[in-house]
Amino acid sequence: MTIQEFINKKNRYKVDYNYQRMKVGKKLLDFAFKLLRKSYKYVLISTLEDNSANIFYQKCGGKQIGTCNFKLEDNEYKENLYLFTLAINK
């Protein structure tokens, strides 16, 4: 998979409940950041306001920089936006 394919995938990933709290999510996030830091300085991740992943992204160093609202069909949603600054590989 190329970086562009990874970026364009727009899939939502979630660690199975049975594997949570085993650092699997952190390892996946670190792997994704390793791929992305070759081409990007920043990553923006959004998650629904009431999603437990908010705590995860904060613990992983994400800085909440704002929120956004959107409407899908007849439902309105609010998302938190997290900015990650990627360290540059030398």
Side-chain angles (χ1 to χ4, degrees):
M1 174 182 301
T2 68
I3 291 251
Q4 198 58 49
E5 289 170 333
F6 179 82
I7 293 167
N8 290 338
K9 212 149 172 51
K10 295 183 183 177
N11 286 333
R12 305 211 187 278
Y13 297 99
K14 177 181 174 184
V15 174
D16 184 273
Y17 179 79
N18 295 317
Y19 295 93
Q20 290 179 5
R21 303 197 186 283
M22 297 173 73
K23 301 197 185 282
V24 173
K26 176 73 170 123
K27 288 178 183 177
L28 289 169
L29 196 63
D30 288 344
F31 176 75
F33 287 174
K34 181 179 178 182
L35 291 175
L36 294 170
R37 80 171 39 96
K38 294 176 184 177
S39 301
Y40 299 94
K41 293 181 183 179
Y42 305 99
V43 171
L44 182 67
I45 294 178
S46 65
T47 184
L48 290 172
E49 182 180 48
D50 60 351
N51 191 320
S52 63
N54 286 288
I55 295 167
F56 170 74
Y57 290 127
Q58 291 169 4
K59 285 183 179 179
C60 290
K63 179 182 176 187
Q64 186 175 350
I65 59 168
T67 60
C68 68
N69 298 305
F70 68 95
K71 188 173 183 177
L72 183 62
E73 296 180 357
D74 290 332
N75 299 310
E76 292 190 28
Y77 301 94
K78 184 174 183 179
E79 289 194 324
N80 292 328
L81 305 173
Y82 293 95
L83 180 67
F84 290 86
T85 301
L86 304 178
I88 299 171
N89 280 345
K90 296 183 180 182

